[in-house]
Amino acid sequence: AQKVTQAQTEISVVEKEDVTLDCVYETRDTTYYLFWYKQPPSGELVFLIRRNSFDEQNEISGRYSWNFQKSTSSFNFTITASQVVDSAVYFCALRIDQTGANNLFFGTGTRLTVIP
Amino acid sequence: NAGVTQTPKFQVLKTGQSMTLQCAQDMNHEYMSWYRQDPGMGLRLIHYSVGAGITDQGEVPNGYNVSRSTTEDFPLRLLSAAPSQTSVYFCASTQGWAGGTDTQYFGPGTRLTVL
């Protein structure tokens, strides 16, 4: 069975602080894909990043960075120098490589509040 | 491209009423899915489709029907609304499942309240 755990329900930081959102996943499949989505207060879901299980390289995109570690089944997301606009709910999601299926298992989300 | 569109944005139903949530995409994506989002539970898959004429159940299909007569449209039908179906519903589409084509793009959501 597949499972995604985001143990941090809510996090508050002061603007310009760095913050890391944790994501731990479970799957027996050797081929799988991990995603992060952002849900701002307006409610839409915004795709942030996709990573496959064969690529453990960390990725940086501006103030965002992701650390993928298969040894600990984690795919953590760090925001550097946080800004008020980063306030949102962030979801980590997992897709396993099943032919004919293309569906995501979501974690319960982490609500990030950046205080000005 | 409008991407994935959903109508209505908000809806209030009485218990027992039926209705259809509309979803359309203009990206020629084969895969479409419906999720519901409930507080503290993330998003859960209701139904999905891998192409026109093909649908299958997800994690929480009871009380919902879907059909996929065209590539563009994937409506979700509530047969007899219940208060437990109060939720935010998201439709998503994706080009495929291989390689890097599996990123799902979500519609803006429909907030449904069943009284």
Side-chain angles (χ1 to χ4, degrees):
Chain A
Q2 284 60 238
K3 186 178 180 181
V4 176
T5 301
Q6 294 180 258
Q8 304 152 307
T9 305
E10 296 191 27
I11 301 175
S12 292
V13 298
V14 176
E15 198 170 21
K16 297 184 183 176
E17 287 184 344
D18 299 346
V19 59
T20 295
L21 310 183
D22 298 332
C23 173
V24 174
Y25 61 91
E26 296 176 29
T27 179
R28 292 181 179 173
D29 283 52
T30 56
T31 302
Y32 52 88
Y33 307 87
L34 295 162
F35 300 79
W36 276 95
Y37 282 85
K38 174 182 180 180
Q39 187 175 44
S42 52
E44 73 272 25
L45 284 157
V46 179
F47 165 74
L48 296 178
I49 191 171
R50 172 190 185 275
R51 180 52 49 93
N52 72 54
S53 54
F54 299 109
D55 182 3
E56 284 196 75
Q57 280 192 340
N58 292 332
E59 181 153 341
I60 298 174
S61 177
R63 297 184 296 106
Y64 294 173
S65 62
W66 290 269
N67 179 254
F68 175 31
Q69 292 195 337
K70 289 179 74 170
S71 60
T72 55
S73 297
S74 64
F75 187 42
N76 296 337
F77 173 30
T78 296
I79 301 174
T80 303
S82 60
Q83 300 177 2
V84 172
V85 294
D86 296 326
S87 296
V89 180
Y90 291 86
F91 290 98
C92 181
L94 166 72
R95 182 177 85 78
I96 58 174
D97 194 19
Q98 279 183 329
T99 301
N102 192 33
N103 305 302
L104 297 173
F105 297 91
F106 281 85
T108 52
T110 296
R111 180 179 299 277
L112 173 65
T113 302
V114 181
I115 303 165
Chain B
N1 280 0
V4 181
T5 58
Q6 292 183 239
T7 55
K9 294 195 74 172
F10 301 94
Q11 184 69 48
V12 178
L13 292 177
K14 294 182 179 178
T15 296
Q17 287 185 317
S18 62
M19 79 158 296
T20 299
L21 307 184
Q22 301 292 345
C23 174
Q25 52 90 9
D26 61 359
M27 299 175 282
N28 202 31
H29 285 174
E30 288 296 322
Y31 289 75
M32 297 185 74
S33 306
W34 276 102
Y35 295 84
R36 60 178 287 174
Q37 182 181 18
D38 301 297
M41 300 190 73
L43 280 79
R44 294 179 293 166
L45 182 67
I46 304 172
H47 284 286
Y48 66 97
S49 170
V50 300
I54 307 170
T55 63
D56 207 344
Q57 297 181 349
E59 180 184 358
V60 288
N62 292 342
Y64 308 95
N65 270 0
V66 292
S67 60
R68 184 98 179 270
S69 56
T70 67
T71 299
E72 294 77 20
D73 300 299
F74 190 42
L76 178 71
R77 297 183 186 84
L78 280 69
L79 308 173
S80 178
S84 60
Q85 294 178 304
T86 294
S87 188
V88 180
Y89 291 85
F90 287 96
C91 179
S93 76
T94 183
Q95 182 179 348
W97 59 272
T101 64
D102 60 342
T103 298
Q104 294 207 19
Y105 296 93
F106 286 83
T110 294
R111 185 174 295 274
L112 175 68
T113 301
V114 183
L115 303 176

